[in-house]
Amino acid sequence: MLAIGAGPALAQDQRERVNVYQYAIDHPQADAEMNAAPSLGASVPQTVELSKVEGNPDYAYFYFDGRPVLVDMRTRSVVRIDH
């Protein structure tokens, strides 16, 4: 019974989550200063300020070269780069 009761609540939580990429597009930031371009899976230096996403605490973003770069907050690793 627990699994049945938890299913609809979990689905509702996922629907309420904010689309991180769209949020970053809708809330652009100034480009971060980095010595090298970010790469997928790489750790983001602590000197780069990450912008939080309202409604989704698991991810943040920053801009590099005019494009959003999405970051996993648990690991500070790059999970998406717009090319």
Side-chain angles (χ1 to χ4, degrees), residues 41-50 71-78:
S43 293
V44 178
Q46 292 293 329
T47 57
V48 173
E49 185 176 340
L50 301 177
V71 178
D72 182 326
M73 288 298 288
R74 290 171 289 159
T75 62
R76 283 187 70 94
S77 62
V78 174

Side-chain angles (χ1 to χ4, degrees), residues 48-71:
V48 173
E49 185 176 340
L50 301 177
S51 297
K52 295 184 179 183
V53 177
E54 287 183 35
N56 194 328
D58 298 330
Y59 297 95
Y61 67 98
F62 67 96
Y63 268 67
F64 184 83
D65 197 23
R67 297 177 299 227
V69 179
L70 306 185
V71 178

